[in-house]
Amino acid sequence: MPNDCISYQESGYFSDLISDYLNRKTELEKLYNRFPTLDNFGAQIDEKSANFSGNRALLSETIERQYRGLDVSDITRKNIESLKSSRTFTVTTGHQLNLFTGPLYFLYKIISTIKLAAQLKERYPDCEFVPVYWMATEDHDFEEINYFNFKGKKFRWHREVSGPVGRLDTEGLAAAFELFSAGLGAGNHADTLRKLFATSYLEKSNLTDATRHLANALFGAYGLVILDGDDTELKRQFSPYIEKELLGQVSHQEVTDTIDTMHGYTIQVNPREINLFYMEDGLRERIIREGETFVVNNTPMRFSETEMLDIVQRHPERFSPNVIMRPLYQEVILPNLCYIGGGGEIAYWLELKSFFKAMDVTFPMLLVRNSVLLVTEKQAAKADKLQLTWKDLFRKPQDLVTEKTKALSPFELDFSAQKDFLRRQFAALFDIAQQTDKSFSGAVKAQEAKQIKGLDNLEKRLLKAEKRKHTELLSRMTHLQQELFPNGTLQERFANFSEFWLDHGEALIPKIASVVQPLENRFDIIVL
């Protein structure tokens, strides 16, 4: 193949907002603090050092407590301990508690985070940099996380639930395991996957512990630190900001004002008047203010202002930040420099800078995570034989077929030249018509439209005929594209890591990590 990567912008899978952000469009500079380059991290370190008021000792001790019962690598243990130092900073990514990691990009997020932390250590050797995976334990959308795809089949966790997913017990996952195990077949790599699933989901009591165990098994050797924000002591640090949100509703005003300046872009999330949920086991519902009373949506619970503020002090763990407030919570308790996320995540972070400023919290640098397409040697050979570039394969299927049909045809299938010639002829006729009767001008215009439409139809018929002529070759191209883009979407958004682990085992993660470069903003194609 002529290259092994394309830019995010060329891939066609990123929004205008993210493409313009990556291109550092001047109009967007007001939406972020610093663009992520190695040199820019120096100023970010200085600003976070001066502005961070979180309790480092408590953070380290809390994470250590959350790791109890796990086999913790020396490098992860060292990273947890180092968080007590004022010269230690974090690089953070976050992700839902998808069953068995969910889609492939779970791996890419964490690998990006680990790689960036290592690069920062090389550039700023006087500091320590800890890669952090923030588990989205408080999310309540079970349908988004209760399945994964393996070899085109969906393995789903069937049950009725409500409330924060991290607190769910793992009842019912034995059935999913039996089906998955049967589909794995025999071999050492298959046995490793069985063990990973069983020790994570069948031997742990809740989804938080299961996900922590799995992520630690995959990435503990790289020093990854896994954090659960659903924690009373961590929430206690955040309680002043919870009070400000309840009483002042600062986030709604600041984010709304920012959105009003983002003309022409699709808005990722819109703020609510109060961007907090009330949370207990089996319950996570919006808090709504009605006059002097706070109401928990879809429940009979109602609190006066005094009662609500009293709960903040006594039970801060009952308040769960939504998508607008969660980033603030993260940055309050972590000495964080950079958040790494997908395009959709970075899009909503770009709405938040003025809110952070109003709360006097340093806004982190924002990095679009690495994206990867995993390709077998056989698939790469097919692409070469079919004379397809990676850019070709990233096209929409219909566009790929059309472009390749035109390339295969021995004659020109585009009638643009003929249409332009026709328009020039009718322009001359129209000049004459304007000097005569107005009705003649209308007749000229109507005839022009008819002739152009006729050429359009001839062009479509000719293209269709050429497609039939090259059916077999075009079919091989689209079949390869379907293999690499299952269900017409990016592989990383559909397939699970186990599909590739089955062939490559423990070599899979090091192979990906050896290729991706977090700060280069490119979509890597990795031939396995």
Side-chain angles (χ1 to χ4, degrees):
M1 301 293 285
N3 57 51
D4 59 359
C5 68
I6 62 174
S7 71
Y8 292 151
Q9 297 91 316
E10 287 178 310
S11 75
Y13 283 90
F14 289 81
S15 68
D16 291 341
L17 176 62
I18 296 303
S19 294
D20 287 347
Y21 172 65
L22 294 172
N23 290 330
R24 306 193 206 185
K25 193 172 181 180
T26 304
E27 291 85 342
L28 296 183
E29 289 180 357
K30 64 181 181 294
L31 301 181
Y32 59 91
N33 199 4
R34 297 176 181 87
F35 194 81
T37 66
L38 277 178
D39 287 344
N40 281 348
F41 273 96
Q44 191 74 16
I45 289 169
D46 291 342
E47 182 179 347
K48 190 67 178 183
S49 295
N51 197 29
F52 182 60
S53 58
N55 188 328
R56 288 176 169 275
L58 176 63
L59 174 64
S60 178
E61 291 161 8
T62 298
I63 296 173
E64 187 174 352
R65 169 172 47 81
Q66 292 180 356
Y67 266 82
R68 282 177 192 160
L70 273 185
D71 184 12
V72 185
S73 69
D74 290 342
I75 184 171
T76 293
R77 197 176 298 279
K78 175 178 174 292
N79 280 341
I80 295 171
E81 179 67 22
S82 77
L83 288 169
K84 296 176 182 178
S85 167
S86 63
R87 296 303 292 168
T88 296
F89 302 91
T90 62
V91 177
T92 302
T93 193
H95 197 68
Q96 295 170 298
L97 307 191
N98 296 74
L99 184 60
F100 213 44
T101 76
L104 270 165
Y105 66 80
F106 173 84
L107 266 64
Y108 307 153
K109 277 184 168 184
I110 292 178
I111 291 171
S112 299
T113 306
I114 291 167
K115 287 288 297 277
L116 180 57
Q119 289 178 341
L120 289 173
K121 179 60 179 175
E122 289 183 10
R123 179 66 174 80
Y124 302 96
D126 293 339
C127 297
E128 299 297 329
F129 302 93
V130 176
V132 172
Y133 162 40
W134 180 291
M135 294 191 293
T137 56
E138 298 179 27
D139 282 4
H140 59 262
D141 196 339
F142 182 67
E143 294 301 315
E144 284 190 2
I145 68 157
N146 69 342
Y147 68 93
F148 66 96
N149 297 303
F150 174 73
K151 293 190 173 182
K153 294 180 65 176
K154 181 172 287 189
F155 294 84
R156 187 181 292 277
W157 182 12
H158 293 282
R159 63 179 297 183
E160 294 294 325
V161 302
S162 61
V165 296
R167 300 184 187 183
L168 292 176
D169 62 51
T170 52
E171 179 187 353
L173 279 170
F177 172 67
E178 290 302 322
L179 292 172
F180 178 50
S181 179
L184 284 170
N188 291 336
H189 296 335
D191 289 342
T192 299
L193 289 169
R194 288 188 184 92
K195 183 178 179 181
L196 274 173
F197 194 105
T199 56
S200 298
Y201 296 99
L202 306 187
E203 297 180 13
K204 301 300 177 185
S205 61
N206 59 56
L207 190 56
T208 293
D209 290 345
T211 305
R212 184 188 293 110
H213 181 276
L214 177 59
N216 183 63
L218 293 172
F219 294 104
Y222 298 88
L224 181 70
V225 171
I226 303 160
L227 176 61
D228 175 14
D230 184 8
D231 185 278
T232 301
E233 294 309 313
L234 295 180
K235 289 280 180 73
R236 201 174 302 283
Q237 285 192 79
F238 192 57
S239 59
Y241 301 90
I242 295 174
E243 289 189 6
K244 288 181 182 179
E245 178 67 7
L246 291 170
L247 300 180
Q249 298 162 30
V250 181
S251 63
H252 179 265
Q253 185 61 56
E254 294 294 337
V255 177
T256 298
D257 288 348
T258 296
I259 287 173
D260 288 343
T261 70
M262 298 174 68
H263 306 297
Y265 294 113
T266 299
I267 301 305
Q268 192 69 19
V269 295
N270 285 288
R272 299 187 182 276
E273 290 188 359
I274 295 177
N275 290 286
L276 293 167
F277 292 95
Y278 189 86
M279 186 173 71
E280 295 178 351
D281 290 347
L283 173 72
R284 188 174 186 248
E285 289 285 352
R286 289 193 296 119
I287 298 172
I288 301 169
R289 184 155 193 169
E290 296 180 354
E292 298 302 311
T293 303
F294 291 94
V295 176
V296 179
N297 198 38
N298 295 322
T299 78
M301 288 189 283
R302 304 175 70 86
F303 305 99
S304 68
E305 183 177 295
T306 300
E307 290 171 331
M308 187 61 96
L309 295 181
D310 182 60
I311 297 173
V312 174
Q313 294 304 312
R314 292 187 297 110
H315 297 288
E317 72 280 0
R318 294 185 185 176
F319 296 86
S320 176
N322 74 354
V323 67
I324 295 291
M325 286 287 287
R326 192 208 67 79
L328 184 72
Y329 176 36
Q330 171 187 298
E331 298 301 313
V332 165
I333 67 173
L334 287 178
N336 194 50
L337 302 176
C338 179
Y339 183 76
I340 297 178
E345 289 176 281
I346 300 305
Y348 73 70
W349 274 85
L350 288 170
E351 301 175 21
L352 304 178
K353 184 185 174 186
S354 66
F355 171 45
F356 272 66
K357 184 177 181 181
M359 292 295 193
D360 194 27
V361 175
T362 296
F363 196 57
M365 297 164 81
L366 303 176
L367 180 63
V368 178
R369 64 165 173 83
N370 285 105
S371 283
V372 176
L373 176 64
L374 299 178
V375 181
T376 66
E377 291 183 353
K378 185 177 179 180
Q379 288 168 331
K382 282 183 183 178
D384 277 334
K385 189 173 182 179
L386 293 169
Q387 298 183 340
L388 291 170
T389 66
W390 297 123
K391 190 173 181 179
D392 288 333
L393 287 164
F394 271 83
R395 294 180 187 274
K396 300 296 184 241
Q398 189 57 45
D399 293 341
L400 172 65
V401 169
T402 297
E403 290 304 312
K404 288 304 167 182
T405 301
K406 291 179 178 179
L408 290 166
S409 178
F411 43 80
E412 183 64 58
L413 300 181
D414 187 341
F415 287 4
S416 295
Q418 289 83 350
K419 293 174 194 174
D420 287 342
F421 177 78
L422 197 61
R423 290 188 184 98
R424 289 194 297 272
Q425 300 305 306
F426 274 98
L429 282 173
F430 190 70
D431 286 342
I432 296 172
Q434 285 185 311
Q435 300 174 39
T436 59
D437 189 84
K438 286 185 178 181
S439 63
F440 185 49
S441 297
V444 171
K445 281 294 182 185
Q447 188 63 30
E448 178 185 20
K450 182 179 179 181
Q451 294 294 326
I452 294 294
K453 184 177 181 180
L455 281 177
D456 284 338
N457 290 333
L458 286 174
E459 186 178 59
K460 290 175 183 176
R461 290 182 63 182
L462 183 58
L463 179 62
K464 190 174 181 179
E466 284 296 291
K467 286 179 180 178
R468 286 197 300 268
K469 181 178 175 181
H470 299 287
T471 296
E472 182 181 351
L473 186 57
L474 293 170
S475 178
R476 287 161 58 195
M477 292 179 180
T478 55
H479 181 73
L480 175 60
Q481 189 182 51
Q482 287 163 9
E483 289 181 1
L484 297 174
F485 296 83
N487 280 13
T489 190
L490 289 176
Q491 176 195 80
E492 64 180 31
R493 297 179 187 172
F494 183 83
N496 182 261
F497 83 97
S498 56
E499 190 169 327
F500 300 90
W501 187 285
L502 199 58
D503 291 326
H504 303 280
E506 293 181 356
L508 177 65
I509 290 175
K511 174 64 175 178
I512 297 169
S514 70
V515 174
V516 298
Q517 298 296 330
L519 297 173
E520 292 190 7
N521 299 322
R522 71 189 191 196
F523 205 121
D524 286 294
I525 294 88
I526 299 178
V527 180
L528 297 172

